[in-house]
């Protein structure tokens, strides 16, 4: 709750009608997120995150026009830092719902409903990849992005690891060799359980909305599938693939791409954190490497 005390006047202005007792604070990798009854305030944690806020708002405006079939945050107000202790911020509409509790998936009918809605979302994201608005306004995954990522990890992170950690990292980076350059779909880029919000309707989960579209781009849908698998496990991922692709067993190339990308998640976190100067997130990302 320190954030609420530190930025009390700013939050009182941006979240009118919300008293401190009614606010919830989440700390993400790049932002402190203060959630009110109808609005959400994203406070940039670093200078790099502050510089990305206008681009974040622009992406949300583009995504809102693509008919994705789920609610996403709408930008309401942007503000630059006004002093050394005043953060840049972005005010968004609040998307209703909450992350899915893992025990919900223990009920077969609930797991099937969740898988079907993930599959429908991925199908709409794939279709949106052909929309001229998306292909013009959203960034495209660059050719050679995984080679550049591997080079950066070796240069910036390997010196911070112990020997066993370096061996593990090299094994994970080697799996990226030969990943094809693909940009057919709109990719969320961080489709973990914390960013997918659900409501309960007639005893079953209903997808309420998706938040945190900072990394949205035209890319390989294996990235979003890897996040679903990491967050919910292989059984749900297999059912999502079955429903989304219309066959029981995904082709080996897709399976390999999902596995290779999933293996980089901790390294991605650590690299972003190092470049943003976020020591806490860096230590968390490298916890298994040192």
């Amino acid at each position: 709750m320190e954030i609420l005390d530190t930025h009390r006047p700013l939050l009182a202005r941006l979240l009118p009608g919300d008293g401190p007792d009614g606010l919830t604070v989440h700390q993400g990798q790049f932002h402190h997120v203060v959630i009110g009854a109808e609005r959400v305030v994203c406070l940039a944690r670093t200078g790099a995150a502050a510089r990305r806020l206008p681009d974040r708002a622009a992406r949300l405006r583009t995504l809102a026009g693509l008919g994705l079939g789920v609610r996403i945050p709408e930008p309401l107000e942007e503000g630059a830092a006004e002093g050394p202790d005043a953060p840049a911020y972005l005010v968004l509409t609040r998307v209703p719902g909450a992350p899915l509790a893992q025990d919900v998936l223990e009920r077969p009918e609930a797991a099937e409903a969740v898988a079907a809605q993930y599959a429908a979302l991925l199908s709409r994201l794939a279709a949106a990849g052909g929309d001229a608005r998306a292909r013009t306004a959203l960034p495209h995954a660059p050719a050679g992005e995984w080679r550049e990522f591997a080079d950066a990890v070796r240069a910036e992170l390997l010196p911070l690891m112990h020997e066993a950690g370096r061996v593990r990292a090299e094994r994970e980076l080697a799996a990226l060799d030969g990943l094809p350059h693909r940009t057919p779909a709109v990719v969320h880029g961080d489709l973990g359980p914390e960013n997918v919000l659900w409501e309960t309707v007639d005893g079953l989960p209903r997808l309420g909305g998706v938040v945190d579209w900072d990394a949205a781009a035209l890319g390989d849908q294996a990235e979003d599938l890897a996040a679903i698998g990491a967050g919910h496990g292989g059984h749900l991922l297999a059912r999502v693939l079955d429903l989304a692709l219309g066959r029981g067993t995904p082709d080996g190339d897709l399976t390999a791409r999902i596995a290779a990308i999933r293996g980089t998640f901790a390294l991605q976190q650590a690299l972003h954190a190092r470049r943003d100067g976020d020591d806490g997130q860096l230590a968390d990302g490298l916890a298994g490497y040192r």
Side-chain angles (χ1 to χ4, degrees):
M1 301 297 283
E2 180 181 349
I3 292 297
L4 301 183
D5 293 330
T6 303
H7 304 298
R8 186 180 298 274
L10 176 65
L11 293 171
R13 180 175 68 81
L14 298 178
L15 298 170
D18 287 311
D21 292 341
L23 300 177
T24 303
V25 179
H26 293 301
Q27 180 174 304
Q29 183 171 359
F30 305 118
H31 310 96
H32 295 292
V33 181
V34 183
I35 302 173
E38 297 181 357
R39 292 180 164 202
V40 173
V41 179
C42 300
L43 303 171
R45 296 183 59 201
T46 66
R51 290 189 291 273
R52 291 193 294 266
L53 285 178
D55 179 66
R56 183 185 193 191
R59 291 191 198 197
L60 288 171
R61 294 186 182 101
T62 296
L63 291 163
L66 297 180
L68 298 179
V70 295
R71 285 167 287 192
I72 66 174
E74 299 176 19
L76 298 174
E77 182 180 341
E78 301 172 52
E82 298 177 352
D85 298 320
Y89 63 85
L90 176 63
V91 183
L92 305 170
T93 56
R94 178 177 178 176
V95 174
L100 192 69
Q102 192 65 28
D103 61 0
V104 170
L105 297 178
E106 295 174 3
R107 297 164 48 215
E109 67 277 17
E112 182 67 12
V114 168
Q117 290 172 87
Y118 266 124
L121 172 62
L122 290 166
S123 295
R124 290 190 292 267
L125 288 169
D131 190 300
R133 292 168 296 178
R135 302 205 69 83
T136 299
L138 295 178
H140 294 227
E145 64 170 328
W146 293 114
R147 182 183 64 254
E148 293 174 6
F149 169 75
D151 290 345
V153 168
R154 291 185 175 107
E156 301 179 44
L157 298 182
L158 258 62
L160 307 178
M161 302 177 186
H162 55 48
E163 179 60 28
R166 290 192 289 271
V167 170
R168 172 187 167 184
E170 286 289 2
R171 183 173 62 250
E172 292 164 346
L173 296 176
L176 300 175
D177 291 344
L179 281 183
H181 179 233
R182 295 172 54 86
T183 62
V186 174
V187 173
H188 179 279
D190 190 10
L191 203 62
E194 68 279 3
N195 291 327
V196 184
L197 307 183
W198 302 82
E199 301 170 290
T200 300
V201 179
D202 296 330
L204 292 175
R206 183 177 70 183
L207 182 55
V210 180
V211 299
D212 197 0
W213 293 83
D214 293 28
L218 278 299
D220 186 353
Q221 207 161 51
E223 294 187 42
D224 284 344
L225 288 162
I228 292 171
H232 294 301
H235 289 297
L236 186 80
L237 174 61
R239 185 57 180 149
V240 171
L241 287 168
D242 184 15
L243 293 168
L245 303 179
R247 57 180 183 270
T249 304
D251 63 85
D253 178 64
L254 177 57
T255 301
R257 297 197 325 265
I258 292 170
I261 292 168
R262 179 174 173 176
T264 69
F265 284 168
L267 294 173
Q268 288 187 49
Q269 174 184 324
L271 185 62
H272 282 303
R274 180 169 175 80
R275 291 177 170 179
D276 275 5
D278 190 329
D279 292 338
Q281 288 292 321
L282 174 62
D284 182 65
L286 291 181
Y289 299 87
R290 62 185 187 183

